[in-house]
Amino acid sequence: MKGKFITLEGIEGSGKSTSLEDIANVLDKNSINYILTKEPGSGSLGNDLRSLLLNNDNKISGEVELLLMMADRKNHLDSLVIPNLNNGNWVISDRYLDSTYAYQGGGREMDFALIDGLSNSLNFPAPDLTILFDLPVEIALERAKQRANLDRFEKEPIHFHDRIRNTYRFRAGEDSKRIKIVDSSVGFQEVKDQVVNIISQFLNE
Ligand code: TYD
């Protein structure tokens, strides 16, 4: 694979999606070809899976939720991510595999070994760089609530989100070379500065 694979991660309301534009600007300045994408929900199958997963009316077990996320990921990788990386394009994905460890492993308390097993058997590639947008759950949920409708995940109680944040932070501690933490409790401009620094440093490696 010739392109670089960068993923953005964080709890609800962590501000990662708004940083996509800042990353795109740095890549533009460096004349790098890239695509911006997200999980769950790429392409028409992904869109359908996303609706199933986020719809509040659906009662979905932890196992089924995990398998649907993995199905969405496999489809995303095969149809979009891998072909682009092979063509030399960079791929910037809003959420990827760390979300599954954090949400299904941490949040839903599913067995981490099951996630390892599925992701190894399906040959999911590791990202080259992951930016984790981190802030206290209370602040993040306040921000998320400003948006109109809360989805199936956003409606979960605070301990669910605490477990997600803790899992993310634990993973970042275990793999600090790949996962860089941005403190997103600070102001808009400061978050942007941190993101631009991380991407610039990555470009210089
Ligand atoms: P989305 O509206 O894209 O949320 P956000 O803007 O916070 O990224 O919804 C995606 C939801 O799916 C989000 O709550 C996290 C969840 N999710 C998982 O539980 N596991 C996963 O593997 C992925 C990719 C997402």
Side-chain angles (χ1 to χ4, degrees):
M1 289 192 295
K2 289 173 277 168
K4 297 286 182 198
F5 185 23
I6 300 179
T7 60
L8 309 187
E9 296 284 357
I11 57 174
E12 312 298 325
S14 59
K16 63 189 164 43
S17 310
T18 42
S19 291
L20 276 172
E21 199 183 310
D22 302 326
I23 296 173
N25 284 337
V26 179
L27 299 182
D28 283 337
K29 277 193 197 134
N30 286 276
S31 308
I32 290 170
N33 292 326
Y34 59 87
I35 58 154
L36 303 177
T37 183
K38 71 170 178 190
E39 288 189 4
S42 151
S44 65
L45 177 61
N47 262 329
D48 287 352
L49 289 169
R50 181 184 172 85
S51 312
L52 286 174
L53 281 158
L54 299 189
N55 187 338
N56 278 311
D57 299 332
N58 287 338
K59 299 279 165 280
I60 304 179
S61 72
E63 272 117 338
V64 171
E65 185 178 283
L66 170 64
L67 292 169
L68 289 173
M69 289 293 180
M70 291 303 208
D72 173 75
R73 179 156 307 124
K74 179 72 177 140
N75 173 57
H76 185 212
L77 283 165
D78 289 349
S79 61
L80 193 73
V81 177
I82 306 281
N84 269 283
L85 292 173
N86 284 340
N87 281 337
N89 295 325
W90 288 32
V91 175
I92 321 301
S93 183
D94 186 346
R95 295 196 183 281
Y96 180 63
L97 190 52
D98 293 296
S99 280
T100 306
Y101 282 95
Y103 280 76
Q104 281 65 54
R108 303 273 187 234
E109 299 178 283
M110 306 290 306
D111 190 353
F112 287 104
L114 177 58
I115 305 174
D116 284 337
L118 286 167
S119 101
N120 290 336
S121 320
L122 294 166
N123 289 320
F124 289 166
D128 296 294
L129 171 71
T130 296
I131 305 180
L132 171 59
F133 293 80
D134 181 61
L135 79 174
V137 168
E138 294 77 6
I139 305 175
L141 288 185
E142 254 331 291
R143 287 184 188 172
K145 275 189 208 142
Q146 318 279 327
R147 303 187 208 142
N149 297 317
L150 297 185
D151 65 36
R152 215 167 54 77
F153 293 97
E154 289 163 342
K155 283 207 165 147
E156 290 289 341
I158 192 143
H159 6 274
F160 174 80
H161 297 282
D162 270 327
R163 289 197 298 272
I164 293 170
R165 182 186 186 207
N166 292 340
T167 308
Y168 270 135
R169 288 165 62 95
F170 177 78
R171 289 178 67 75
E174 294 280 288
D175 195 356
S176 56
K177 173 132 185 36
R178 172 176 68 89
I179 307 179
K180 305 293 178 202
I181 300 185
V182 160
D183 172 5
S184 58
S185 67
V186 294
F188 191 71
Q189 184 61 43
E190 284 163 86
V191 171
K192 182 175 170 166
D193 292 345
Q194 294 176 72
V195 172
V196 170
N197 272 340
I198 290 170
I199 296 291
S200 307
Q201 215 168 327
F202 180 72
L203 281 166
N204 288 328
E205 272 171 15

